[in-house]
Amino acid sequence: MSGNDSYLIVGLGNPGAQYASTRHNVGFMVLEELREQWGLGKPKSKFNGLITEGRTGPGGPRVVLLAPQNFMNESGKSAGPARGSKKIELDHVIVVHDEIDLPFGEIRSRLGGGLAGHNGLRSITQYLGTQDYARVRIGVGRPPGGSERGADWVLSKIPKSARVDLDIACERAADAVECIASSGVDAAMQQFNQA
C-alpha cells in the first residue's frame, strides 16, 4: 500500500429523475448522506460522473465520492478513470450498491466476492481488473415472483411506507463506509453485519 490515504467511494445508481427513488439507486442515496455527514460541497461533473472531494473530518482520510452518470451497466467507465487519475490504491476503493439477496434495509460489508448478477459490479470489476474491492451492500429485498423479476424490481420505486426504514439503512451504510475508511473492512463487518 502506498502512502496515499485517499479513498474512492463509488455509489451505484442510474442517472435521471425517473430512477431517483428506485431500489437500484440506494448507492446514490448513501453518497448524499456522506456528503451531508462530512460537510462536502456540491458535486462536479468529471469522469462521466458526479464527483465530490474532501476529508471525512479533521485528520480524517481524503475521500473522493463518485456517482457514475453513464447508467449502472457501464459504471466502470466512470470508476476506472477516476481511480487512475486520483491514483487511489485498489484496496482503497469502496463500492456501495443494492443487493436483492439481502432483506430490505440490512447492511453487509465485505471485501471482494462474486457479482451476484449485478451489472454495476460486473462493469466495476471489468474496469478495475479485480473483484477484490470493498463493498457495502444494502438489502432491497427479493422481488415477489422470484429472481427472474429482479430487473423490474430494482428499477421500481421504493414505496413511501418504506422510506423511513430506507433512510435508516442509508445512514447505517454511510456509517459503514466511514468505518471502512477509518478502521478497515474487518471492523465494519464486525460492527455492521447483522447476524
Side-chain angles (χ1 to χ4, degrees):
M1 191 186 300
S2 77
N4 184 346
D5 74 341
S6 292
Y7 280 81
L8 175 64
I9 302 162
V10 184
L12 297 187
N14 283 308
Q18 70 270 37
Y19 298 109
S21 299
T22 63
R23 290 170 173 83
H24 230 11
N25 275 35
V26 292
F28 283 4
M29 297 173 202
V30 172
L31 290 189
E32 284 296 324
E33 182 68 33
L34 288 168
R35 269 196 281 274
E36 282 184 30
Q37 277 188 22
W38 294 335
L40 303 178
K42 276 190 176 312
K44 296 179 171 64
S45 292
K46 202 169 185 186
F47 308 113
N48 292 313
L50 295 174
I51 196 163
T52 319
E53 298 181 68
R55 289 198 178 271
T56 61
R62 182 157 188 76
V63 289
V64 178
L65 275 55
L66 175 68
Q69 296 295 294
N70 42 1
F71 289 97
M72 181 69 80
N73 60 355
E74 296 191 326
S75 300
K77 288 184 178 178
S78 178
R83 186 191 81 81
S85 175
K86 300 295 181 182
K87 298 179 171 58
I88 293 170
E89 301 291 331
L90 281 168
D91 61 357
H92 278 201
V93 175
I94 305 169
V95 177
V96 185
H97 66 92
D98 59 302
E99 177 68 74
I100 63 172
D101 290 331
L102 284 177
F104 187 84
E106 276 198 22
I107 306 299
R108 290 272 196 286
S109 303
R110 74 175 181 200
L111 181 64
L115 304 179
H118 197 294
N119 290 329
L121 294 180
R122 183 173 289 113
S123 180
I124 296 276
T125 296
Q126 177 188 346
Y127 280 86
L128 296 185
T130 181
Q131 292 182 191
D132 295 334
Y133 44 84
R135 304 167 192 196
V136 174
R137 299 150 53 208
I138 303 157
V140 294
R142 284 192 170 280
S147 56
E148 65 276 1
R149 305 280 303 156
D152 293 337
W153 179 247
V154 295
L155 292 175
S156 64
K157 300 273 186 191
I158 295 163
K160 284 194 168 65
S161 59
R163 287 298 303 196
V164 172
D165 290 339
L166 179 72
D167 289 344
I168 292 168
C170 287
E171 286 172 19
R172 282 180 53 77
D175 291 343
V177 169
E178 184 159 21
C179 185
I180 292 171
S182 63
S183 307
V185 177
D186 287 346
M189 289 173 68
Q190 287 177 358
Q191 188 172 343
F192 293 95
N193 289 15
Q194 299 164 352

